[in-house]
Amino acid sequence: MNIFPAKIMVVDETPMHVVTVREIFEKEGCNVLGAKNEASALAITSAVKIDLILLDATAKSMDGYAICKRLKSEALTQKIPVIFTGTIPGAQEIQRSFEAGGADCINKPFNSAELYARVRTHLELQKHRERQEDRTQEDLIYTLAYVGELRSKDKSHLKRVSEYSALLGELYGLRPEAVAMLKMASAMHDIGNVVVPERILNKPFPLDMKEREMVQNHTQWGAHILSRTDRPVLRAAATIAAQHHEKFDGSGYPKGLKGENIHIFGRIVAVTDVFDVLVSKRSYKEEWQVNKALAYLTEESGRHFDPKLVGLFVDNLWKFLEIRQKYQE
């Protein structure tokens, strides 16, 4: 399991202790950040994703236990393992450390070998927990997405849009963690279709005005379903569900958002969803040839679609076609 490099924050009133930790872990490629008090510690954790915290429990200028409790009360920092450091001589102090939310205790002055082993162990445990959580979350997300597509005759549409979107996000320059989130979240772009009658979803003829309105409402229903949580990936999915039918020139629905007022996730899925629908057979249409679909994307660049995204899609078409081939029905 690759746990290094990691970002380690040392909350300690003595600069030399920060230097000691830095000397031990910088050779592993770790970034060791020092904080002298609660304010600087909170400022760092709000700006940087910290993997582990070494927190002075016996400093005279700050209350380490109170700082730990504060960190554990915040959603952004509550899962970061905290190792208390200092002169922690007895069972009472150790119990207080654990009650405050600490994961471990280690005495100062540091024994380099012991400190390295303790930190490595807790980083490994944290990485294992994160992997388990990610796997569980991904399973739940794709199960939910599958429920939304039960009535669709194209069972691979969601997988293709998910893969297309991740690739286009990567080409656009999104950070790896944003690409991973987009890949999962985009699979739920049409979850709102669960409220649309099947006779309308699979109707072989053009929809009338009332039916078209019911279909368009799937964007708002999807956002409503997915926004009932604080989980970042589901909030991202809610944004995609709400915005993937908005158009770059402001003529889309449901809110008529324009240009970069449409979230980049929504702009990406607008391209990938439409492309996949165009080159796939539907109850109301035959599949288009790729060249015809590409011509449509180019024609609608700047109107329906973000021009930069269309350019990236066209320039890297072969990569998207490989995905299409891999996930054909």
Side-chain angles (χ1 to χ4, degrees):
M1 182 184 298
N2 184 19
I3 60 169
F4 293 126
K7 290 185 175 65
I8 300 170
M9 182 172 70
V10 184
V11 186
D12 200 302
E13 63 182 358
T14 305
M16 185 52 65
H17 293 148
V18 179
V19 172
T20 299
V21 176
R22 189 170 286 138
E23 289 175 347
I24 295 171
F25 290 100
E26 280 194 339
K27 64 185 68 174
E28 299 284 1
C30 295
N31 186 8
V32 178
L33 305 170
K36 292 183 178 180
N37 51 43
E38 179 176 357
S40 58
L42 295 176
I44 290 172
T45 54
S46 67
V48 180
K49 184 182 182 299
I50 297 296
D51 297 299
L52 183 138
I53 297 172
L54 293 166
L55 176 56
D56 192 349
T58 54
K60 295 179 180 179
S61 62
M62 60 183 177
D63 185 343
Y65 301 109
I67 294 174
C68 188
K69 288 179 181 179
R70 174 74 180 273
L71 292 168
K72 294 301 176 180
S73 71
E74 301 287 344
L76 190 65
T77 54
Q78 63 184 196
K79 293 183 179 181
I80 303 174
V82 175
I83 299 178
F84 279 105
T85 67
T87 305
I88 308 172
Q92 185 175 350
E93 288 75 17
I94 293 174
Q95 180 179 352
R96 188 180 180 193
S97 299
F98 288 133
E99 288 176 348
D104 204 349
C105 303
I106 187 168
N107 285 323
K108 290 191 292 189
F110 296 127
N111 176 288
S112 297
E114 181 185 12
L115 178 62
Y116 181 87
R118 295 279 189 92
V119 168
R120 183 180 182 91
T121 295
H122 285 287
L123 286 173
E124 287 176 344
L125 288 171
Q126 180 69 358
K127 185 67 70 174
H128 177 73
R129 283 192 292 267
E130 289 175 354
R131 286 185 175 182
Q132 290 299 110
E133 288 179 3
D134 288 346
R135 189 174 295 120
T136 300
Q137 178 172 263
E138 187 171 352
D139 287 345
L140 289 172
I141 285 169
Y142 283 115
T143 298
L144 180 60
Y146 174 74
V147 169
E149 287 290 295
L150 278 175
R151 296 172 299 169
S152 172
K153 295 177 180 177
D154 185 354
K155 303 302 182 185
S156 298
H157 171 65
L158 292 181
K159 187 63 178 175
R160 290 193 300 270
V161 169
S162 176
E163 296 287 339
Y164 291 154
S165 297
L167 173 56
L168 190 52
E170 185 178 338
L171 294 169
Y172 185 80
L174 296 182
R175 299 189 313 273
E177 57 268 29
V179 171
M181 182 177 291
L182 172 60
K183 183 176 181 178
M184 286 193 287
S186 60
M188 293 179 284
H189 66 280
D190 273 341
I191 190 66
N193 279 337
V194 295
V195 303
V196 181
E198 186 173 0
R199 63 178 177 79
I200 295 176
L201 284 178
N202 294 317
K203 186 177 179 179
F205 307 109
L207 303 178
D208 61 33
M209 185 178 299
K210 185 175 180 180
E211 291 170 336
R212 191 158 49 248
E213 182 179 344
M214 292 180 70
V215 169
Q216 290 181 354
N217 283 340
H218 84 281
T219 57
Q220 297 178 79
W221 274 110
H224 176 71
I225 292 167
L226 294 165
S227 62
R228 303 167 69 85
T229 175
D230 290 328
R231 285 186 174 271
V233 69
L234 293 178
R235 300 293 293 188
T239 296
I240 292 170
Q243 297 185 7
H244 71 288
H245 283 290
E246 300 286 2
K247 295 185 178 180
F248 199 72
D249 66 0
S251 64
Y253 65 87
K255 293 186 177 181
L257 299 178
K258 185 176 181 179
E260 293 189 1
N261 288 326
I262 307 168
H263 193 284
I264 183 58
F265 284 4
R267 283 180 275 149
I268 286 173
V269 177
V271 174
T272 58
D273 181 38
V274 168
F275 173 78
D276 194 65
V277 169
L278 290 178
V279 297
S280 303
K281 184 175 181 178
R282 291 292 183 266
S283 59
Y284 54 88
K285 61 174 280 294
E286 294 297 320
E287 71 177 59
W288 288 17
Q289 294 296 313
V290 170
N291 287 343
K292 182 179 178 182
L294 213 59
Y296 178 82
L297 293 184
T298 303
E299 181 183 336
E300 289 296 312
S301 177
R303 294 189 295 192
H304 189 157
F305 308 114
D306 182 332
K308 181 175 181 180
L309 294 174
V310 172
L312 291 169
F313 193 97
V314 172
D315 290 345
N316 295 274
L317 177 63
W318 63 274
K319 296 179 182 179
F320 294 94
L321 294 182
E322 284 185 347
I323 293 172
R324 180 172 180 250
Q325 181 65 34
K326 183 176 180 179
Y327 296 104
Q328 286 282 36
E329 281 294 294

